[in-house]
Amino acid sequence: MVFSFLPKSRREILWLLGRLLLALGVFGGLFVVAILLSQWGTWQHTEPSPPSTSGRDSRTHDAAMAIAAGELLHARRQVEAVLAVEPLHAPTLLLQACLALESGERSEVEMALARLQSAAPGQLEPVLLEEMWKSLTQDPSHGWRSAFLRAWVELGRPSFASSPLLPEIAMDEVQPTALTQMPERMADAPPVQLMLVLATPRLSEERARWLMEQLPMLEDPTLAQVAAVALLAARLPPALQDQAQAAARSRLSRLVQASPGVMHPRMLLLWAENPEWTALSHQELEGLEALTALPTWNDSSFGDTLMEARALLTEAGLANPDAGAFKVALMSRGNWALVLLLKRAEETRRQLLPGSRQRLGRILWKIGSLLETDSTVLTRMVGLQLMLDGATDLGDEAEHERVKALIGEARTLLTAANHAALESWPLPSLWAEVAHARAQDEWAHVREVAGAPTAR
């Protein structure tokens, strides 16, 4: 389990967060949560299983990753190379069918779907793709996401979570050309270059230094917070890490002064002043108590940040910018700070007797209560976990059971939505529309995929 440093309940909630994002997003999931934590060094990362070393499976995997990177010409070449040797290899034929759907050429689509159906008789994947194609050709205004959901519902919402035909796409392995070829040294900081650095899976030392130089000049508070998180979470040599933390503290101090009613920059500043994953000190508890009186967790817009990042990464040359854009948008929401709060609260709890945890419980409950109605799924779910922990620390059994039931309801929704396996269908046009839906209201998107009634 990726989050094995956490006690069972927290590991479970974070595993759930990863699974729900994998199920519902454009390359979210464990990749995105891992990016928020991976450079800190305390969590234990389980590497994805490598693809088969056979030439066929290696080329098929490469084709799927090329689609994820938006490099469709390369994907086509790899698919053709596999099918020239093994013309009825069903997983590769599915990639071919999806590439054909992306092209929109009727004869190509019909031929690819027919080949896939002959190679995978009885499988529902080709049936769903065919129904999608029919819907898109009959009324293109429906869009890819609507066509997918309509076809999936008509098939009875079958589970594709363990499909043998859909590829396993590990987005932390994807290296779009525009990122790999980006020069390490940049003379200035136009928005495109900044977004490329923020979207990079792991900051190199050179890019960390560059970001430290730009941080004081970043006027956009959302991007300043994202840059501060990137530096605080980066795995750097000790001396450079100290410099990065100092740069983050300086910029966060200005953000705190400019946003008197917002919690997020204050919590980031708290962590920047003590970056160790240890029990909360008396001063830190006082600081957390003070920020719980504030009315707003975050004054940035997840949707605006996501779409702005996506546009800039597209301008930078990323044919499929969704993974990087979603990473930047999530970092803007404060989830790194919240997961760190969960960890440090647990370390604190271990040193307190049950009867002396009320202070900690009130802090967690107040922060969680502010987050539980957030439109972003990860923030909402962390909020519920904070409320659950807070109720436990306060000894409030009634609230503990109520929040536990809310988490159970969310788990049911996420499990239902996970059956669609949206992240596994190699269809960039579908991913783009899902990204737009998440930007508008991620929780509403979750509920729609799960087939839940309109939220209260």
Side-chain angles (χ1 to χ4, degrees):
M1 185 65 64
V2 171
F3 299 98
S4 56
F5 63 82
L6 293 168
K8 182 177 180 181
S9 64
R10 288 130 196 104
R11 289 204 307 272
E12 182 177 87
I13 198 69
L14 291 175
W15 175 86
L16 180 64
L17 298 177
R19 286 309 310 161
L20 72 91
L21 289 171
L22 275 173
L24 299 167
V26 183
F27 305 127
L30 292 176
F31 163 68
V32 175
V33 181
I35 287 300
L36 297 177
L37 297 173
S38 63
Q39 300 174 29
W40 199 269
T42 317
W43 71 293
Q44 300 176 19
H45 177 54
T46 302
E47 295 294 338
S49 300
S52 168
T53 55
S54 75
R56 178 200 69 189
D57 291 348
S58 178
R59 284 183 179 274
T60 301
H61 175 78
D62 188 31
M65 298 296 278
I67 294 173
E71 297 169 356
L72 302 189
L73 180 58
H74 177 66
R76 283 181 177 274
R77 289 170 178 164
Q78 294 295 77
V79 165
E80 290 168 1
V82 172
L83 296 179
V85 177
E86 190 171 344
L88 293 179
H89 185 238
T92 307
L93 287 170
L94 183 133
L95 294 180
Q96 185 184 60
C98 289
L99 287 167
L101 281 166
E102 287 288 336
S103 75
E105 292 292 335
R106 179 181 295 273
S107 59
E108 182 184 355
V109 173
E110 292 175 353
M111 184 179 299
L113 288 175
R115 293 180 69 189
L116 177 59
Q117 288 170 344
S118 67
Q123 294 288 107
L124 291 178
E125 291 86 347
V127 179
L128 184 139
L129 290 176
E130 184 170 12
E131 292 302 315
M132 272 190 69
W133 170 245
K134 289 178 181 177
S135 180
L136 287 169
T137 53
Q138 290 171 0
D139 188 352
S141 66
H142 286 161
W144 289 75
R145 179 177 173 275
S146 176
F148 178 95
L149 292 179
R150 181 176 303 179
W152 184 52
V153 170
E154 288 178 355
L155 289 176
R157 299 180 181 272
S159 178
F160 294 110
S162 301
S163 167
L165 300 185
L166 296 178
E168 293 184 5
I169 302 173
M171 282 308 295
D172 49 353
E173 296 177 0
V174 175
Q175 293 294 330
T177 302
L179 277 182
T180 59
Q181 294 182 352
M182 184 176 63
E184 289 284 359
R185 294 186 180 276
M186 291 171 283
D188 52 12
V192 170
Q193 291 175 327
L194 175 65
M195 198 60 68
L196 281 169
V197 171
L198 295 178
T200 302
R202 287 180 176 83
L203 281 181
S204 66
E205 293 181 30
E206 193 69 22
R207 293 184 188 188
R209 290 190 179 93
W210 182 87
L211 192 56
M212 287 164 54
E213 293 173 359
Q214 311 310 318
L215 185 56
M217 298 178 286
L218 290 180
E219 295 301 326
D220 185 304
T222 299
L223 293 182
Q225 285 187 155
V226 173
V229 170
L231 289 171
L232 289 173
R235 183 183 295 162
L236 301 169
L240 185 57
Q241 186 67 70
D242 290 344
Q243 296 174 34
Q245 290 165 1
R249 283 196 298 271
S250 176
R251 188 64 186 89
L252 288 168
S253 295
R254 288 168 51 198
L255 281 174
V256 165
Q257 294 173 2
S259 52
V262 185
M263 286 188 193
H264 183 206
R266 284 165 173 76
M267 189 179 293
L268 285 177
L269 182 58
L270 199 63
W271 301 153
E273 291 171 345
N274 182 7
E276 300 301 323
W277 287 32
T278 56
L280 295 163
S281 68
H282 177 72
Q283 287 183 329
E284 287 171 325
L285 286 170
E286 287 185 342
L288 288 170
E289 282 179 326
L291 67 83
T292 61
L294 302 176
T296 305
W297 163 246
N298 198 325
D299 58 359
S300 68
S301 164
F302 175 79
D304 290 348
T305 303
L306 178 62
M307 301 315 290
E308 178 186 0
R310 193 175 190 279
L312 289 171
L313 292 174
T314 300
E315 184 179 342
L318 271 67
N320 179 22
D322 295 309
F326 194 74
K327 176 208 168 187
V328 172
L330 265 189
M331 291 176 73
S332 75
R333 297 305 299 158
N335 296 308
W336 179 83
L338 292 171
V339 174
L340 186 51
L341 174 61
L342 279 170
K343 169 60 180 172
R344 297 199 63 190
E346 180 57 30
E347 291 296 324
T348 306
R349 188 175 293 110
R350 291 175 181 173
Q351 301 181 20
L352 298 173
L353 295 173
S356 59
R357 298 175 183 168
Q358 285 81 4
R359 184 185 191 188
L360 178 63
R362 283 191 294 271
I363 291 171
L364 300 182
W365 180 267
K366 288 180 180 179
I367 295 175
S369 298
L370 193 62
L371 302 174
E372 68 150 332
T373 58
D374 196 88
S375 66
T376 60
V377 177
L378 184 55
T379 304
R380 176 187 291 255
M381 294 300 291
V382 173
L384 286 171
Q385 183 64 47
L386 288 169
M387 291 175 68
L388 188 68
D389 291 350
T392 301
D393 293 333
L394 290 167
D396 192 330
E397 293 185 8
E399 284 301 296
H400 181 276
E401 291 305 309
R402 184 182 71 83
V403 175
K404 185 178 178 180
L406 290 176
I407 292 175
E409 292 171 7
R411 181 184 293 111
T412 299
L413 282 176
L414 300 171
T415 299
N418 183 52
H419 293 320
L422 276 172
E423 84 291 350
S424 294
W425 294 87
L427 292 164
S429 293
L430 174 63
W431 296 333
E433 292 193 9
V434 169
H436 184 71
R438 295 180 81 173
Q440 290 182 315
D441 189 325
E442 191 180 25
W443 187 245
H445 164 70
V446 169
R447 294 181 64 85
E448 183 180 359
V449 174
T454 303
R456 51 184 170 81

